[in-house]
Amino acid sequence: MSTAVPLTIKWGKETVDFNFVPETGVKGLKTELEEKTGVPVDRMKLMAKSKGLWKGVMKDDLDLASLDWQGAVAKAGSAGIQLLLIGSAAKLTGPSTTTVFLEDLAPEEVAKVQEPSGLVNLGNTCYLNSVVQCLRVIPALRQGLSVYTPASDSNTGNRNAAHTMFLSSLRSTYQSLDRQANPVQPMALVQATKMAFPQFAERGRNGNPIQQDAEEFLNGLFTIAASLGDRQQLLQASLPNVSSESLLGASNWMDAIFGLKLEETLTCDEVELEPPVVTEDLHRKLVCNIQGGSDVAATQNVSHVYDGIALSLQGSMEKHSDVLGRNAIWTRKQRIARLPPILVMQFGRFFWKATPDSQDHAGVKCKVMKPVAFGSTLDVYDFCTESVKAVLKRSRDKALKEEEDRINQKLQGHSNMEGENGDAMQVDGTENDKHDDKAKEPSRTEVEADEDLQAALAMSLETTDGTAKTPIGPGLPENFQGQYELFAVITHKGRDADGGHYMAWVKADNPSGNQVEKIIDTDEANEDWFVFDDDEVSPCKTEDVLKLKGGGDWHMSYLNFYRAKK
């Protein structure tokens, strides 16, 4: 039977005493010390304080059974054999991230981590569902709804209970979508919509609800929201950092968020003495005319959204001329005089066609199926007034200069790096090299000329007439350049203007700013989106959204939603 040896282990300020059997070897000694001290074996360093054992740090291949333990005990005397242990104990820590299961989360927490919730179709209500989903991701709208109180309408004498119920039910629907992951039934919102807009309660011959127009529902929503509530409170809640000067005539929160002011100039084509007529009007959406112009005789083909917008902002009309004393042909030209933080654009896909040869002569509503391409960015610079362009140009020139400076600094750094590498490869310099270096150094005249050039460029970017500080719209980013980012699309599928199906396509958040791949052969970022087919929600990509240009029986864009690009 093996003889146990009493050991005293000094470990920092602690002392550990136990009997050790040498035949268990180094592994047995360290294992027992790990149990008593918590120091992992791979962290241990053992040294003998008593004489007659080993020198320095004990090695793992040391044969402890061959040592003269009895002699070491005799030499140590009453103090006994002492060993020194060096090493820190391993602290027991939990995992760096806590594992949480969906089953353990509350419904409102599940709604935050899963795909967005859909809306149940309650009978041809896809027009309503698509609009609600697109507006859901507009913070200014949600912030205004959060402070809306129906009581404020009763205090102002507003007795239209249906409108009040509509806005309250819209807010409740959004709260339900935020709280639960399962599809939401917008029963109260649909009922309030039919009460506020009786035409939306119409039914067909079979008794089923008739399909309605998503754009008409959106216009109705804007009208009701603009007329209800405490206007000042809603303005401050939706756009808290907006000055009264930047509102530029917007008297309610809907016009502040979505409203754009169009300046219209009418010029008489038949007589130059007739002074132009300039008026301003407020709109809550921009129209893309895809039929080929705003007058009947126009036949220009529209294949891109810029062509359609340009055509919708110009045209000809018949109007009375005071100089001629009769009606004359006038040219109409519109330009944007105030820009909104959220820009809604409508594709003119539906139009009314007269049917004089029919029995009832009532006409028929038709749909334009032609493809009209659009990108993920909309630049409205060319559609603005000269005063708005002047402000946007300042920001554009500044951004261009910053980009040029960044590129020049990058090139200069690369050039300096090459020069340092070249100097490192030279062993001895010659007089010719020194002469060449002096030749490369810019003269004082050149330096002064370069400084004058930089000063002139800086002055050109400075504002002397105050246009840079002139407000061009509320809630726009600093140094706004007139570019808008596409974040939502409402599409219509089907050839029947009074039927078909609406769906919403909404851009997903990317709060972490992760790198996004480009669409093949383009500069478009292929970002994440969601498509809302009523209660069914599916992921998709930017490349899928850009295919919604029309030209077939597939879904085609009808309403595009843009936000001011930072």
Side-chain angles (χ1 to χ4, degrees):
M1 184 177 181
S2 301
T3 303
V5 180
L7 299 179
T8 300
I9 310 297
K10 297 292 185 179
W11 178 48
K13 297 181 180 180
E14 299 183 21
T15 301
V16 179
D17 295 321
F18 69 97
N19 294 327
F20 168 64
V21 179
E23 282 72 11
T24 60
V26 175
K27 183 176 180 181
L29 175 60
K30 290 186 175 183
T31 301
E32 190 163 355
L33 285 175
E34 182 179 18
E35 294 176 356
K36 295 182 178 297
T37 62
V39 179
V41 173
D42 55 353
R43 294 186 187 177
M44 288 185 184
K45 292 184 179 180
L46 282 169
M47 292 179 286
K49 297 185 66 177
S50 301
K51 296 181 179 181
L53 294 176
W54 65 87
K55 295 181 179 180
V57 179
M58 183 180 67
K59 298 181 179 180
D60 291 337
D61 58 355
L62 179 62
D63 185 5
L64 296 180
S66 64
L67 299 179
D68 185 7
W69 292 96
Q70 297 302 326
V73 171
K75 292 179 180 179
S78 60
I81 297 178
Q82 296 184 359
L83 304 181
L84 179 62
L85 171 63
I86 300 176
S88 58
K91 296 181 180 179
L92 296 176
T93 58
S96 57
T97 57
T98 304
T99 302
V100 180
F101 297 95
L102 288 176
E103 293 79 3
D104 300 330
L105 292 177
E108 57 270 19
E109 296 298 326
V110 176
K112 295 179 181 179
V113 298
Q114 282 192 338
E115 294 178 347
S117 305
L119 290 168
V120 178
N121 193 321
L122 300 179
N124 278 338
T125 57
C126 57
Y127 70 94
L128 179 147
N129 292 347
S130 59
V131 172
V132 170
Q133 292 289 10
C134 289
L135 298 182
R136 179 185 178 185
V137 295
I138 301 177
L141 176 69
R142 300 292 304 276
Q143 292 165 7
L145 283 175
S146 66
V147 301
Y148 169 72
T149 53
S152 62
D153 292 322
S154 60
N155 294 336
T156 58
N158 191 331
R159 299 181 179 179
N160 196 336
H163 290 184
T164 301
M165 184 184 301
F166 174 82
L167 211 58
S168 299
S169 60
L170 177 62
R171 179 179 58 188
S172 300
T173 300
Y174 283 135
Q175 292 173 348
S176 299
L177 288 170
D178 293 339
R179 285 196 303 261
Q180 65 184 66
N182 297 325
V184 174
Q185 293 195 18
M187 191 76 70
L189 179 58
V190 171
Q191 186 64 29
T193 299
K194 294 179 179 180
M195 294 176 61
F197 310 104
Q199 67 272 24
F200 287 171
E202 296 178 358
R203 293 181 177 271
R205 296 178 180 178
N206 55 3
N208 295 328
I210 296 177
Q211 177 68 279
Q212 303 296 333
D213 192 322
E215 187 265 340
E216 293 180 3
F217 174 74
L218 179 65
N219 284 342
L221 188 153
F222 285 162
T223 301
I224 289 179
S227 64
L228 298 182
D230 185 333
R231 294 193 173 189
Q232 190 62 30
Q233 181 189 30
L234 292 172
L235 272 172
Q236 293 177 352
S238 57
L239 300 172
N241 299 321
V242 169
S243 62
S244 57
E245 293 80 8
S246 64
L247 290 174
L248 298 176
S251 59
N252 59 78
W253 64 309
M254 287 293 100
D255 290 339
I257 299 174
F258 302 97
L260 62 157
K261 184 182 295 184
L262 292 182
E263 179 184 281
E264 183 178 76
T265 303
L266 298 177
T267 307
C268 185
D269 297 346
E270 300 183 23
V271 57
E272 295 182 356
L273 295 178
E274 187 78 46
V277 179
V278 181
T279 57
E280 289 184 344
D281 196 10
L282 192 65
H283 298 259
R284 294 176 184 144
K285 66 177 182 297
L286 198 61
V287 176
C288 175
N289 192 326
I290 64 178
Q291 297 186 56
S294 58
D295 57 330
V296 179
T299 58
Q300 181 175 346
N301 183 41
V302 176
S303 60
H304 196 276
V305 64
Y306 287 111
D307 301 330
I309 295 176
L311 284 175
S312 69
L313 297 178
Q314 64 185 19
S316 61
M317 59 180 294
E318 185 176 339
K319 181 180 179 298
H320 180 77
S321 170
D322 293 336
V323 174
L324 297 176
R326 59 174 175 82
N327 286 349
I329 301 300
W330 295 65
T331 296
R332 176 183 62 87
K333 181 180 179 181
Q334 291 180 313
R335 287 294 178 263
I336 303 174
R338 190 194 74 188
L339 295 169
I342 303 296
L343 177 62
V344 182
M345 186 182 66
Q346 177 192 2
F347 290 86
R349 296 226 170 257
F350 302 127
F351 69 100
W352 189 260
K353 183 178 180 180
T355 56
D357 298 332
S358 63
Q359 184 175 1
D360 54 7
H361 306 288
V364 60
K365 190 176 182 181
C366 302
K367 179 180 179 181
V368 181
M369 308 291 289
K370 66 189 300 184
V372 179
F374 59 90
S376 59
T377 300
L378 178 68
D379 192 343
V380 299
Y381 178 83
D382 292 334
F383 308 128
C384 296
T385 61
E386 294 302 321
S387 59
V388 174
K389 280 185 178 180
V391 179
L392 298 178
K393 190 175 186 302
R394 302 287 180 184
S395 300
R396 287 171 174 243
D397 291 344
K398 180 180 178 181
L400 181 60
K401 182 179 181 299
E402 291 175 351
E403 179 66 16
E404 290 177 350
D405 291 343
R406 185 187 66 81
I407 295 176
N408 290 334
Q409 290 177 0
K410 186 175 181 180
L411 293 176
Q412 184 65 28
H414 181 68
S415 177
N416 292 337
M417 184 178 299
E418 288 182 348
E420 292 174 0
N421 293 336
D423 293 341
M425 294 174 64
Q426 293 180 359
V427 179
D428 294 321
T430 63
E431 292 297 328
N432 291 335
D433 295 334
K434 294 179 180 179
H435 178 73
D436 292 340
D437 291 340
K438 292 181 179 179
K440 294 178 182 177
E441 293 180 359
S443 64
R444 182 177 179 181
T445 305
E446 291 174 341
V447 172
E448 292 177 353
D450 184 65
E451 292 177 352
D452 293 340
L453 180 62
Q454 295 294 334
L457 180 59
M459 290 180 62
S460 68
L461 294 176
E462 291 179 357
T463 304
T464 57
D465 57 358
T467 55
K469 295 183 180 180
T470 303
I472 57 175
L476 297 175
E478 186 177 1
N479 298 322
F480 181 56
Q481 301 180 36
Q483 295 180 338
Y484 285 84
E485 169 197 3
L486 181 69
F487 71 90
V489 176
I490 292 179
T491 59
H492 181 267
K493 180 182 180 181
R495 295 179 176 270
D496 186 2
D498 292 324
H501 182 56
Y502 290 99
M503 285 169 49
W505 309 66
V506 182
K507 190 175 184 179
D509 291 331
N510 185 17
S512 58
N514 296 330
Q515 189 69 24
V516 180
E517 296 181 354
K518 300 287 187 180
I519 301 176
I520 299 176
D521 297 331
T522 69
D523 291 331
E524 298 277 3
N526 201 17
E527 299 181 276
D528 293 329
W529 285 64
F530 290 107
V531 53
F532 294 84
D533 185 1
D534 290 326
D535 57 336
E536 296 183 6
V537 183
S538 306
C540 62
K541 289 287 188 178
T542 302
E543 60 182 344
D544 301 314
V545 176
L546 299 184
K547 295 177 182 177
L548 304 172
K549 59 183 180 180
D553 293 331
W554 179 238
H555 286 276
M556 58 189 69
S557 57
Y558 179 42
L559 292 171
N560 281 11
F561 295 80
Y562 298 86
R563 55 192 169 207
K565 197 172 183 179
K566 298 181 180 179

